Amino acid sequence: MSTELIKVTINGRDFQVAKGARLIDVCRENQFDIPSFCYYADLALQASCRMCLVRIEKMPKLQTSCTIICTDGMIVTTQSEEIEKAQRSMLEFLLANHPLDCPVCDRGGECELQELTFDWGNLEERFIERKNAKAEKYLSPMVANDPQRCILCKRCTRVCDEWMGEEAIEAGNRGANTVIGTFGGWLNCSQCGNCIEVCPTGTLLDGTYRHQHRPWELTQTISTCTYCSDGCQMSLGSRGGDLVRIVARDRYVNGHNGEFLCVKGRFGHPFVNHEKRIRTPLIRYQKGGRLIPATWDEAIRFTAERLDKVVAENGQNSLGVIGSARLTNESLYVLRKFATEVVETENYAVDDASSLKPFFENLGGELSTHRDIRYAKTIVLIGGEPEELQPLTGKQIRQAVRNGGANLIIFNSVPIRIREQASQFIHIRPGTEDAAVLSLANADNDALAAKKMGIDARDLETARTAINQTQGDVTIMFGSELSAAAQAIVAQFPYLFAAEGRRVLLHPLPLFNNSVGAHDMAQGKARSAIDLLAGAGQSIRAMYVAGSLLPAHLQEHPDALAKFDLLVVQELFETDTTEFADVVLPAASFAEVDGTFTNSGGLVQRVRKSIEPVHQSLADWIITARLAKELGVDFGFERSSSAVFREIADRIPAYAGLRYPLLKDESNPVQVKHAIAAQRDVSNEMNAIHGSVEALPDEGEKSQVTPSVGHELFKPGTLMSKTPQIHLLAAGNPVPESFAISPLYQITIDDNLKRDPAVA
Ligand code: SF4
Ligand code: SF4
Ligand code: SF4
Ligand code: FES
């Protein structure tokens, strides 16, 4: 929007507003209430509900403020008898077919239609004709539908199209018979539930939570998603010690994701109160024996004695400590402190799909937040599949292209879905992502890179030209396919491509919610988890794991866990990692702890306790601190995560000066200050990837198949598998016989089906 200011008069008061501003936004920003149903910021205009009417001087009739761009000298009235009369009439029309069944509607208490009707009171209903009756049904395991409550605002269809790129839900029929639905009646989509979230009425509803609680019975706690590195803000609805619902509804939370969540964030919470949560500490007194429930005192004492013995006999470095990139910053910080200051082992690792160390050590520019992605003018995506692995990033990319006209350049070996938005999709051979970096870094490598990637070298020139001609922001993203050397080169791209009027921002796409925080908390002291597993039973005699190890890493060293003299694991559930544990300590989930996560855009955001830890579980960092105390070192945090965060802020420069109160406002998130490295000679890294690219074969098949929606999202990993509906989705979302009842009651899926390992 222009920085030029113009004068607008609203209800007799003068305002200076940006030229090009939309009238409904200006009115609301200045606290003039404008009712609306179809208007939704940053979605295409619909202008169908006619609720946002205002009077504008010199215009012949009432105008819809959602379609009006302010002009200099505009004089506007938002409240008058004439306006209210028109709005009341519109509402009366909207209610003509509405069943007015608020007492049995799940949206009752947080329904925009109900609110407006109640706010005005005394609303006439003069229609005496029979209402159109339509049966309630399910559109998918996640989406329930009561079509007669629909006011045809089409927020749902626009969100599905513009945010998700799926066009799975559409309006059918005409006039008074128009209904929102889907082809064949069954939704085969990514099941994000965003159509449910933005629906202002009780037409689209959460099918996993239907008729369970009323919204006013829930305690709402603002927190951060535990699944991917996008770090969506969400409201955790709890009741009686149970987490029962997650929404991003803007009446409760106003984070960088707006009302967006994906299927994992919105529906993946039943693991929190799941019956299979580990209830007490468990000790296996003899290898091969059973795990026996124990008290916390016994378990801590037993673990400390055994750790002491291993270290006394084999030295400090015989102990390995591995943290999961899912844990909070506080837990990872305390774990690393335990490793380096209590046992003083050099063998500390974070288990993640790839290390971000080479990227951050060479970081030549700022990280791109999700807001930056939305307003970028050029987006370069090398590898990765954000629509499945970082869905908010996918949504921001789509909106940047669709609403902002951004150029999207994709290098990928698979025709991923988001290529449909790309101005340039460069279809490369599998495993040649480093070649893309090699050529972007230096055009002299174009011929070699093009040969290995199996593309036309002119495509590389086109991509470079698009970057170099950008006025505005360029965001460069990369997935975990890049080698360490290629990551280091990308990190220096701002020095190569930035120019006057062009910022170059970087956005890694790590796998976990706290991959970036895990890197930060390690302070450069993390080794690779695979290396530690490789030393099992030899140099490493005991292992202390907080979280579980990635299935892929365990597959690389299948016997490693059985080889340790002592294996201690903190977990929520029994997993492949706890199977060989001598001690299992019940850890609390993200919904039961206070702390912070740092997302892929460097935003450090609060995790807040929504319910008390279930059974006997404890926050990971509290367990580690108890163990440290038993070994003679009192960290002195006194069960206060804010005390841990204070120490993080004192000791880790990127977090300097931060405190929990400064992170209070999720609508104004704080980006940590990662050190910007000076421009440096990357010729060593260039030589390294030049060599590895040269060694690649000159031939190779490219996948021509676009991966199916949900092929990653619906993998039932340790946490997601606790949502019963996810098993239906993972099994291909079979169409039930009847849409009237939840498919869960009609289709039985074998929980134990062996599927690809998932990470979540
Ligand atoms: S759940 Fe998501 S993808 Fe499916 S119809 Fe609704 S908005 Fe579209
Ligand atoms: S289903 Fe909800 S969001 Fe969609 S058109 Fe109807 S009222 Fe609007
Ligand atoms: S996009 Fe990522 S952070 Fe957001 S809800 Fe989904 S899994 Fe959670
Ligand atoms: S909000 Fe303006 S017409 Fe619906």
Side-chain angles (χ1 to χ4, degrees), residues 225 227-228 230-232 260-262 264-265 391-392:
C225 179
Y227 281 105
C228 90
D230 282 336
C232 290
F260 174 95
L261 290 177
C262 78
K264 291 187 164 192
L392 173 65

Side-chain angles (χ1 to χ4, degrees), residues 720-739:
M720 278 305 284
S721 63
K722 307 302 184 292
T723 299
Q725 288 83 353
I726 212 74
H727 294 274
L728 291 172
L729 299 178
N733 191 13
V735 182
E737 214 163 273
S738 163
F739 295 164

Side-chain angles (χ1 to χ4, degrees), residues 159-180:
V159 154
C160 189
D161 177 13
E162 297 175 33
W163 288 6
M164 306 309 295
E166 303 203 33
E167 296 176 323
I169 193 163
E170 271 306 336
N173 300 339
R174 309 190 66 169
N177 293 317
T178 309
V179 281
I180 296 295

Side-chain angles (χ1 to χ4, degrees), residues 267-456:
F267 301 112
H269 57 79
F271 74 87
V272 171
N273 294 99
H274 197 271
E275 57 181 12
K276 287 196 175 155
R277 282 285 297 270
I278 297 170
R279 290 166 187 253
T280 67
L282 302 164
I283 300 176
R284 198 187 312 270
Y285 290 96
Q286 278 187 338
K287 289 277 178 201
R290 279 194 316 118
L291 281 166
I292 313 275
T295 64
W296 268 110
D297 285 347
E298 275 168 351
I300 293 289
R301 203 178 322 115
F302 178 88
T303 308
E305 281 170 11
R306 297 284 302 273
L307 279 178
D308 247 352
K309 186 164 177 281
V310 171
V311 170
E313 287 170 4
N314 307 284
Q316 287 114 318
N317 285 333
S318 64
L319 172 64
V321 178
I322 303 182
S324 155
R326 280 204 178 292
L327 307 186
T328 59
N329 285 326
E330 289 71 4
S331 290
L332 285 159
Y333 176 81
V334 172
L335 192 69
R336 208 260 312 139
K337 188 175 163 85
F338 176 86
T340 52
E341 295 177 23
V342 178
V343 266
E344 298 179 38
T345 175
E346 288 164 9
N347 293 320
Y348 171 73
V350 175
D351 199 28
D352 204 339
S354 72
S355 166
L356 291 168
K357 199 170 159 193
F359 171 72
F360 279 111
E361 278 176 358
N362 292 281
L363 187 69
E366 287 172 41
L367 290 187
S368 172
T369 64
H370 290 80
R371 190 173 186 283
D372 293 327
I373 298 171
R374 163 63 187 85
Y375 293 101
K377 288 296 165 203
T378 297
I379 298 169
V380 182
L381 172 63
I382 308 169
E385 192 182 7
E387 62 270 51
E388 290 281 320
L389 296 169
Q390 294 87 11
L392 173 65
T393 302
K395 176 245 178 196
Q396 296 300 90
I397 295 174
R398 266 181 227 105
Q399 284 207 290
V401 173
R402 191 189 163 107
N403 302 18
N407 251 333
L408 171 62
I409 303 165
I410 298 180
F411 292 88
N412 206 302
S413 61
V414 177
I416 53 175
R417 294 199 314 281
I418 208 162
R419 82 182 188 292
E420 287 168 12
Q421 267 77 37
S423 45
Q424 200 185 0
F425 171 56
I426 305 177
H427 195 180
I428 62 177
R429 290 198 186 105
T432 62
E433 289 78 7
D434 277 11
V437 175
L438 188 69
S439 79
L440 287 176
N442 187 342
D444 292 348
N445 297 313
D446 280 6
L448 169 69
K451 187 164 72 163
K452 301 296 181 182
M453 291 191 280
I455 60 164
D456 188 329

